[in-house]
């Protein structure tokens, strides 16, 4: 059985579509756990309608406590062999659960990375959004001390996956899983992206959680590259490069990232592993100021964009379809970053 968990807070416009997408799954052996995080709109009324008509749908209420508490609440209620978290404003393709289950069973995996857009992060992803995480429940139970961090948003899903990914390399991939993502103004991560000061405060909390976890597990020496890749991906690429920051905020964030790297990663990271990090991030770590880096990055983007266009053209002549597909996804992900 699969446990599908949906946290909900004031999503009356979307929750019906999310639930219906689960009920339409080609694999019908599931339980749907909906955690109402103190909604004040019609969300509860809509959910309870499904509860009355389908015994697989379960409704739980909690006072408004945030998405991490809601997901942890749902995980505590889950009875399935596998666990998947669906956001209440999104929906799934009909074969999503079946193809993910098949991939997990075939590979005896602790985690299935779902969605063709995430193939470029394999074989060793450093973090994943919830939409790409299909977990074996026994693995989560063995690591029950790892939960979604409370009071952290955005990035709670990335930290959750990052911590768990230090514990396993039994990872499979399902490129057939199609997740329908809705983008709208009410999303919490979009609100956070518009507030540079809030972003910086959240990243301070990320770094404290990372330091505490790696110290507790004695992972600094053995997982230094994994940690470095997380810092490169989340606070650097997705926050410094993609968030609208003032000059002062840019310098503050640069100082935070550089200091964390020097204290907790650099002493353990060999030169070969350091060179596995992207060129912009390596330059960022050694930059004297945000002005120095931004000047370099502007020139680098122009050069890299031209190179990616050439590479995409040359991919047409590579006969191995699987390699061609994987590289195309990787190039497009980088293009997306360059356009931001």
């Amino acid at each position: 059985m699969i446990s599908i968990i949906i946290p909900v807070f004031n999503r009356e416009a979307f929750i019906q579509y999310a639930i219906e997408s689960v009920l339409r799954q080609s694999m019908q052996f599931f339980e749907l756990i909906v955690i109402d995080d103190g909604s004040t709109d019609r969300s509860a009324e809509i959910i309870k309608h499904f509860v009355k008509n389908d015994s697989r749908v379960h409704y739980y209420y909690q006072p408004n406590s945030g998405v991490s508490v809601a997901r942890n609440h749902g995980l505590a209620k889950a009875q399935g062999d596998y666990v998947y978290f669906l956001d209440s404003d999104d929906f799934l393709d009909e074969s999503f659960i079946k193809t993910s289950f098949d991939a997990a069973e075939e590979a005896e995996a602790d985690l299935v990375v779902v969605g063709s857009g995430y193939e470029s992060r394999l074989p060793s992803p450093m973090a994943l959004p919830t939409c790409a995480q299909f977990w074996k429940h026994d693995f989560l139970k063995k690591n029950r001390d790892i939960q979604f961090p409370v009071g952290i948003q955005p990035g709670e899903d990335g930290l959750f996956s990052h911590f768990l990914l230090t514990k396993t390399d039994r990872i499979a991939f399902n490129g057939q899983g199609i997740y329908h993502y809705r983008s709208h103004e009410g999303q919490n991560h979009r609100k956070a992206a518009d507030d540079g000061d809030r972003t910086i405060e959240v990243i301070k909390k990320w770094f404290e959680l990372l330091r505490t976890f790696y110290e507790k597990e004695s992972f600094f020496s053995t997982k230094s590259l994994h940690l470095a890749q997380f810092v490169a991906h989340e606070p650097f690429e997705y926050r410094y490069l993609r968030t609208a920051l003032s000059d002062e905020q840019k310098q503050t964030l640069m100082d935070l990232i550089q200091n964390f790297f020097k204290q907790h990663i650099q002493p353990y990271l060999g030169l070969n592993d350091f060179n596995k990090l992207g060129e912009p991030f390596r330059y960022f770590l050694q930059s004297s100021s945000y002005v120095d880096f931004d000047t370099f990055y502007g020139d680098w983007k122009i050069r890299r964009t031209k190179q990616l266009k050439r590479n995409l053209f040359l991919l047409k002549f590579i006969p191995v379809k699987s390699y061609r597909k994987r590289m195309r996804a990787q190039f497009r992900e980088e293009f997306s970053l360059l356009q931001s």
Side-chain angles (χ1 to χ4, degrees), residues 97-290:
I97 297 301
K98 177 65 164 61
T99 54
S100 299
F101 172 80
D102 289 345
E105 290 287 290
E106 181 178 353
E108 298 183 349
D110 293 324
L111 166 69
V112 178
V113 177
V114 191
S116 59
Y118 300 101
E119 186 175 10
S120 61
R121 301 192 191 184
L122 299 172
S124 302
M126 81 300 288
L128 295 162
T130 47
C131 64
Q133 304 176 38
F134 187 88
W135 291 103
K136 188 170 185 177
H137 199 182
D138 281 347
F139 174 75
L140 296 180
K141 290 175 183 176
K142 290 176 184 176
N143 297 281
R144 63 175 70 250
D145 57 320
I146 298 177
Q147 297 197 328
F148 288 93
V150 177
I152 302 292
Q153 200 174 32
E156 78 290 339
D157 50 353
L159 285 166
F160 175 76
S161 62
H162 178 74
F163 294 148
L164 288 167
L165 285 163
T166 63
K167 304 277 191 170
T168 185
D169 57 5
R170 296 172 59 182
I171 300 171
F173 174 65
N174 173 24
Q176 300 177 64
I178 299 174
Y179 185 96
H180 297 278
Y181 176 82
R182 294 181 190 269
S183 180
H184 58 88
E185 293 301 321
Q187 290 166 308
N188 289 323
H189 72 273
R190 294 186 64 170
K191 293 177 182 177
D194 293 334
D195 187 342
D197 287 336
R198 177 183 171 189
T199 296
I200 289 169
E201 290 305 310
V202 168
I203 290 173
K204 288 179 182 178
K205 294 178 182 179
W206 292 1
F207 284 154
E208 183 58 27
L209 289 169
L210 288 164
R211 183 192 63 77
T212 300
F213 176 81
Y214 274 75
E215 281 183 351
K216 175 178 174 248
E217 300 290 343
S218 300
F219 276 166
F220 280 120
S221 59
T222 59
K223 301 287 184 178
S224 58
L225 179 59
H226 187 65
L227 179 56
Q229 289 171 331
F230 177 86
V231 174
H233 187 264
E234 293 285 333
F236 171 63
E237 290 182 5
Y238 277 85
R239 309 305 161 185
Y240 183 92
L241 294 183
R242 292 196 176 192
T243 302
L245 300 171
S246 69
D247 292 347
E248 182 180 356
Q249 290 165 344
K250 282 187 173 185
Q251 190 61 56
T252 299
L253 183 51
M254 171 177 275
D255 292 343
L256 281 172
I257 294 172
Q258 287 182 344
N259 289 337
F260 183 84
F261 194 93
K262 287 175 184 176
Q263 290 180 39
H264 301 298
I265 301 176
Q266 187 173 304
Y268 310 100
L269 192 68
L271 181 59
N272 287 340
D273 282 343
F274 179 76
N275 287 331
K276 292 176 184 178
L277 304 173
E279 182 183 0
F281 185 56
R282 297 199 308 269
Y283 192 96
F284 178 88
L285 291 171
Q286 301 174 67
S287 295
S288 58
S289 70
Y290 81 90

Side-chain angles (χ1 to χ4, degrees), residues 22 42 118 160 176 231 292 299-301 311 315:
V22 175
R42 293 182 57 253
Y118 300 101
F160 175 76
Q176 300 177 64
V231 174
D292 174 27
D299 294 336
W300 181 88
K301 282 175 70 174
N311 290 346
L315 275 179

Side-chain angles (χ1 to χ4, degrees), residues 326-338:
R326 183 170 67 254
M327 294 306 298
R328 185 179 292 114
Q330 183 175 329
F331 292 156
R332 285 175 176 168
E333 182 178 7
E334 189 172 344
F335 260 127
S336 175
L337 181 62
L338 290 173

Side-chain angles (χ1 to χ4, degrees), residues 85-102:
F85 299 94
L86 170 62
D87 284 350
S88 58
D89 38 11
D90 301 333
F91 59 100
L92 305 176
D93 199 64
E94 290 182 7
S95 63
F96 189 97
I97 297 301
K98 177 65 164 61
T99 54
S100 299
F101 172 80
D102 289 345

